[in-house]
Amino acid sequence: MVKFLPLKEAVAENLHDGDTVAFEGFTHLIPTAAAHEAIRQGFRDLTLIRMTPDLIYDQMIGMGMARKIVFSYIGNPGVGLLRRARDAIENGFPRVIEVEEHSHAGMANAYEAGAAGLPCAVFRGYRGAGLAAVNPNIKSVTCPFTGEVLAAVPAIRPDVTFIHAQKADRKGNVLVEGIIGIQKEAVLAAKRAVVTVEEMVDNFDDLHPNLTVLPNWTIAAISVVPGGSHPSYTHGYYERDNAAYLEWDEIAADRGRFQAWMQQNVMESSPDDFAGRVEHLRKAA
């Protein structure tokens, strides 16, 4: 049964050292507050999965939390590379990490396979690409009906998935609007799911029936964290903080500046601080 918990408790109960974990969000609804809480609690040896690792994974990698990353694009959207991730991959700082790279199609199909309880995903993909040469988890299979050679990748089944969403009702159902990305499949594929939301409402009775709603039986814990996806955006609540993404490129370029920023803005911060960070963005939205 879903629990309504403060974020600190929700993370502590559901994330463990050595877990395979997805913090999913496709430009929109990135679960920043949950990632920062995981950083504060100091988890280690994590396998981090995400279609588009950006700032939060740069921060987690830079803090030495990751043993391995599984991804299909890694970068600071609209700006450039992730400097802490690059330092780890190229220089082993602060630790050596294993890298498993896929295409977007490969990751999306792998999440869908995990959500369906299948062992692998089979699809048309990777033709003419070189990823199979560096990723042993990309295989090929021959269709028994047509003889067509198809790509196959293992299903993604995280120990725990974290997402951010707009609303939860008092029964523990969660409403997701706007660009949804792979969040729904990432929740359904996981053994446990933790959702941060902008607000709690009594029910969804006045909403359109075709909206994406994650039922309460798919979720382990819900935490109300207004502003919890900053500096990404939450449709209907606040816009993307583009300046923060530009600033991050300079912060992450220097190891010392990175550590100082993390100490001040993450280690000495709390989920309550997110609401204040997005006030000017709420007015713009």
Side-chain angles (χ1 to χ4, degrees):
M1 180 178 293
V2 62
K3 297 180 180 179
F4 295 91
L5 296 172
L7 184 57
K8 183 176 181 179
E9 294 178 29
V11 172
E13 285 192 12
N14 290 283
L15 184 60
H16 311 104
D17 289 343
D19 272 355
T20 296
V21 55
F23 290 81
E24 271 298 349
F26 197 79
T27 300
H28 175 233
L29 296 174
I30 294 170
T32 309
H36 283 186
E37 184 56 44
I39 292 170
R40 281 190 290 273
Q41 295 189 27
F43 293 100
R44 312 295 292 182
D45 297 322
L46 301 176
T47 295
L48 298 177
I49 301 177
R50 188 159 162 217
M51 287 184 65
T52 55
D54 63 357
L55 273 57
I56 58 172
Y57 276 20
D58 208 30
Q59 293 165 4
M60 297 173 84
I61 291 167
M63 296 298 284
M65 298 172 67
R67 179 189 67 83
K68 177 180 179 179
I69 55 173
V70 181
F71 64 95
S72 53
Y73 162 84
I74 186 167
N76 184 341
V79 180
L81 54 81
L82 291 183
R83 298 183 183 275
R84 290 299 90 224
R86 181 171 183 172
D87 203 6
I89 293 168
E90 292 186 347
N91 305 311
F93 183 89
R95 61 173 293 179
V96 174
I97 60 172
E98 184 181 345
V99 171
E100 182 178 327
E101 184 176 1
H102 289 275
S103 67
H104 276 345
M107 291 283 288
N109 277 278
Y111 270 124
E112 289 185 348
L118 297 172
C120 68
V122 177
F123 60 103
R124 292 188 178 95
Y126 295 114
R127 294 175 179 175
L131 280 176
V134 295
N135 183 350
N137 277 332
I138 299 172
K139 307 288 186 181
S140 62
V141 296
T142 301
C143 175
F145 304 105
T146 66
E148 182 180 4
V149 177
L150 301 167
V153 295
I156 292 177
R157 296 296 306 272
D159 293 307
V160 57
T161 288
F162 291 87
I163 67 166
H164 188 72
Q166 278 90 351
K167 299 175 182 179
D169 69 15
R170 300 199 181 279
K171 294 181 180 178
N173 304 301
V174 169
L175 171 72
V176 189
E177 295 182 278
I179 298 174
I180 297 172
I182 204 70
Q183 283 98 310
K184 177 181 70 175
E185 291 80 3
V187 166
L188 295 176
K191 298 175 184 175
R192 303 177 298 279
V194 176
V195 184
T196 54
V197 296
E198 291 293 326
E199 63 175 319
M200 182 83 70
V201 297
D202 289 334
N203 56 62
F204 298 149
D205 292 349
D206 59 342
L207 300 178
H208 193 283
N210 286 335
L211 291 171
T212 297
V213 175
L214 294 169
N216 54 21
W217 54 265
T218 67
I219 299 163
I222 294 172
S223 300
V224 179
V225 186
S229 71
H230 179 267
S232 76
Y233 71 100
T234 294
H235 174 72
Y237 290 81
Y238 46 89
E239 294 185 344
R240 187 177 190 267
D241 190 347
N242 293 314
Y245 287 85
L246 291 168
E247 183 184 20
W248 182 253
D249 189 56
E250 298 181 2
I251 294 166
D254 180 81
R255 293 175 181 176
R257 186 175 178 187
F258 163 77
Q259 289 289 344
W261 189 94
M262 292 297 292
Q263 182 64 34
Q264 179 179 352
N265 294 279
V266 179
M267 304 305 291
E268 297 174 2
S269 184
S270 78
D272 295 336
D273 296 327
F274 276 84
R277 295 175 192 173
V278 301
E279 192 57 38
H280 66 292
L281 300 170
R282 292 183 195 279
K283 295 176 181 177

